[in-house]
Amino acid sequence: MSRVATPVAAGNWKMHVTPDEAGAFFRSFLALHSPREDRTVAFFPPALSFAAAREATAERRDILLGVQNVYWEEKGAFTGEISAEMAAAAGAALVLVGHSERRHVFGETDEDTRRKVQAVIRAGLAPLLCVGELLEERDSGRAAPVVRRQLEAVYDSLEPDHAARLLIAYEPVWAIGTGRTASPADAEEMHGQIRQFLQDTFDEELAARTPILYGGSVKPDNADGLLRARDVDGLLVGGASLQPDGFARICSAAG
Ligand code: PGA
């Protein structure tokens, strides 16, 4: 995938939206959101609705599609899993890796996340790596070291040309699905630290080119303020990406 235009607005549908509902969503959404070269719009439908989403967006190559999770093996006896190669063959450009629900509901470790990022790169897709601290980690002053640990686990084993393929989403776990958004200042602070980590680990160019998205209770009303914060290159949106009109507003925020 060539470099994405920023800002990025990405909808993570989680375990919502059937194939029929995906068709209906895009009939409304595409009428509300015209193609724009100055930004990127992406969706992560559930795997079973991916084909319907792809069909509904076939005329709109400005819309990128991704899957919410993959297993790191290419194929084999892994009942219930899909591989990055399968996601690529189905037309995905992106894969979410390390979403907090994968980490905290399904027990994925930093090492699992590392292996999944490697698999996504092997398949020629772009990983959207999610990082973020729990409420107790923030309250005990450990937000920055936790996020750093999550980043190191993935980036320490990546070659620079592979590292350049990642997008990052900072999603403080206490702000996901809770209605409690991080303030633009909170986002700005952590995004700045993530950018600094990339600069220290690689170089200034890679740091500047890596899109860093914010996620956690993004709504049409707060999207603009978050996108205008320094180092916020886009938004990863859960609940508010399920409504075509609200998400179209988010997609045109900040310009
Ligand atoms: P939310 O979810 O927008 O519903 O808080 C964001 C996410 O989990 O990616």
Side-chain angles (χ1 to χ4, degrees):
M1 192 176 70
S2 54
R3 193 174 176 223
V4 298
T6 55
V8 178
N12 172 14
W13 284 353
K14 308 192 180 185
M15 200 169 72
H16 299 285
V17 189
T18 64
D20 283 353
E21 288 166 352
F25 176 94
F26 281 114
R27 275 190 293 283
S28 304
F29 177 79
L30 297 181
L32 295 165
H33 179 78
S34 304
R36 289 179 61 159
E37 283 179 5
D38 63 342
R39 55 195 56 216
T40 301
V41 173
F43 289 90
F44 296 89
L48 283 176
S49 299
F50 187 92
R54 183 158 158 83
E55 198 185 318
T57 57
E59 304 295 314
R60 288 286 298 268
R61 290 298 158 177
D62 60 304
I63 309 270
L64 299 180
L65 296 177
V67 296
Q68 298 173 13
N69 180 38
V70 292
Y71 188 54
W72 53 77
E73 295 288 349
E74 189 179 338
K75 60 174 96 159
F78 303 105
T79 300
E81 297 295 319
I82 57 174
S83 69
E85 282 76 9
M86 288 172 173
L94 295 158
V95 181
L96 280 185
V97 181
H99 188 276
S100 70
E101 287 144 22
R102 299 302 318 170
R103 293 177 191 265
H104 300 296
V105 181
F106 298 99
E108 281 187 12
T109 64
D110 287 341
E111 172 61 10
D112 295 338
T113 301
R114 186 188 70 76
R115 295 173 82 165
K116 290 184 178 196
V117 165
Q118 297 276 5
V120 173
I121 288 170
R122 178 187 71 211
L125 304 182
L128 172 42
L129 171 68
C130 303
V131 297
E133 79 285 0
L134 297 165
L135 182 60
E136 66 258 30
E137 291 166 338
R138 169 153 289 250
D139 286 347
S140 60
R142 286 182 293 137
V146 164
V147 168
R148 192 178 176 90
R149 188 204 74 220
Q150 293 170 339
L151 292 170
E152 279 170 356
V154 168
Y155 277 99
D156 278 1
S157 58
L158 285 181
E159 301 295 325
D161 57 330
H162 289 165
R165 305 245 295 269
L166 272 71
L167 296 78
I168 296 176
Y170 169 57
E171 299 202 303
V173 182
W174 46 270
I176 295 180
T178 59
R180 190 177 150 188
T181 324
S183 68
D186 291 334
E188 203 166 282
E189 190 185 346
M190 189 63 84
H191 283 227
Q193 292 183 30
I194 294 170
R195 188 95 62 205
Q196 189 63 46
F197 165 83
L198 294 172
Q199 184 169 326
D200 296 344
T201 310
F202 299 97
D203 56 39
E204 207 174 325
E205 196 197 338
L206 186 140
R209 288 171 72 103
T210 301
I212 306 176
L213 282 54
Y214 169 80
S217 294
V218 174
K219 304 281 179 262
D221 292 345
N222 60 22
D224 205 73
L226 287 161
L227 274 184
R228 290 184 194 283
R230 190 164 23 90
D231 287 318
V232 176
D233 304 316
L235 301 168
L236 180 57
V237 186
S241 70
L242 298 170
Q243 302 302 329
D245 48 346
F247 191 60
R249 276 177 62 202
I250 292 174
C251 291
S252 58

